Amino acid sequence: MAKIILFNMISIDGYFEGPGRDISWHNVNEEFNEFAVEQLNSASALIFGRRTYELMVSYWPSEEALRDDPVVAGLMNSKPKIVFSKTMKRADWTNTRVYNGNVEKVCLGLKAENVNDIYVFGSAELASDLISMNLIDEFRFVINPVVLGSGVPIFRSSSGKRKMKLVRSAVFASGNVLVIYTPE
């Protein structure tokens, strides 16, 4: 059975996006890209909310992404993608399915039918729903050495109180810190 893993790059003060959906502060380099490739290679599918899907589809299939980061672009474009949205009816990105509801049923089905892990990227509103349904099996964050002061927090108030157990941590040469937690 697959695990659903929530993965995000976050600031020290807990934001995964700055104001205006800004992610220019993401501290990425070759070491991070190797980590990203390793993660994507282990994924059986990717889950997005509509806003994160729009951000991802605006970049990864582009000429720029294919030129500047062909390995990650190839993985992002080829992996099965699931989008939960109340407004989208269809998606044009290769290997993408759109669901307008039944989040819990779809996610439980994905976990049962896959062996490799399923990753949720970004998607704060969807992540909050998944957390409240106890569907997140693992939380992975790469903490960037930056304080944003405002933006979109990774945890919404509707996420509720959760105790976590640290499973692994690692420090990147860039100053990023990977932390992996499981719910207790």
Side-chain angles (χ1 to χ4, degrees):
M1 178 176 273
K3 294 185 295 188
I4 294 182
I5 298 172
L6 175 62
F7 174 76
N8 276 300
M9 295 186 79
I10 62 171
S11 63
I12 289 174
D13 51 348
Y15 296 102
F16 82 94
E17 286 181 341
R21 300 182 74 184
D22 177 38
I23 58 170
S24 64
W25 52 272
H26 281 186
N27 188 13
V28 296
N29 59 13
E30 189 59 36
E31 183 182 29
F32 175 80
N33 287 340
E34 288 172 12
F35 169 76
V37 167
E38 180 182 312
Q39 251 188 178
L40 284 167
N41 276 327
S42 73
S44 57
L46 308 173
I47 297 176
F48 306 115
R50 180 191 50 82
R51 285 188 211 119
T52 300
Y53 169 81
E54 289 172 349
L55 179 69
M56 296 290 189
V57 75
S58 73
Y59 180 69
W60 290 114
S62 73
E63 295 285 329
E64 179 185 1
L66 294 167
R67 179 188 66 241
D68 295 346
D69 201 347
V71 175
V72 174
L75 289 166
M76 291 295 291
N77 292 323
S78 66
K79 291 289 177 181
K81 293 165 282 294
I82 292 86
V83 180
F84 289 101
S85 172
K86 295 177 182 127
T87 57
M88 282 179 61
K89 300 299 179 216
R90 63 180 189 82
D92 296 325
W93 195 6
T94 307
N95 297 324
T96 302
R97 291 179 284 168
V98 177
Y99 293 93
N100 300 108
N102 298 318
V103 172
E104 186 171 21
K105 180 180 178 184
V106 170
C107 287
L108 289 172
L110 288 169
K111 287 173 74 165
E113 67 191 40
N114 287 287
V115 175
N116 292 334
D117 297 331
I118 302 160
Y119 286 84
V120 179
F121 294 156
S123 310
E125 289 180 38
L126 175 61
S128 182
D129 291 343
L130 295 172
I131 292 166
S132 67
M133 293 176 204
N134 293 314
L135 291 171
I136 301 293
D137 300 298
E138 189 174 288
F139 296 82
R140 289 187 187 183
F141 302 118
V142 171
I143 303 168
N144 285 224
V146 63
V147 174
L148 295 178
S150 64
V152 180
I154 189 58
F155 293 107
R156 304 286 177 109
S157 60
S158 61
S159 297
K161 182 179 178 179
R162 297 280 191 274
K163 285 196 154 241
M164 300 286 175
K165 177 183 176 187
L166 180 65
V167 175
R168 181 176 153 217
S169 64
V171 178
F172 291 82
S174 64
N176 287 344
V177 178
L178 168 68
V179 292
I180 301 175
Y181 293 97
T182 56
E184 283 193 346

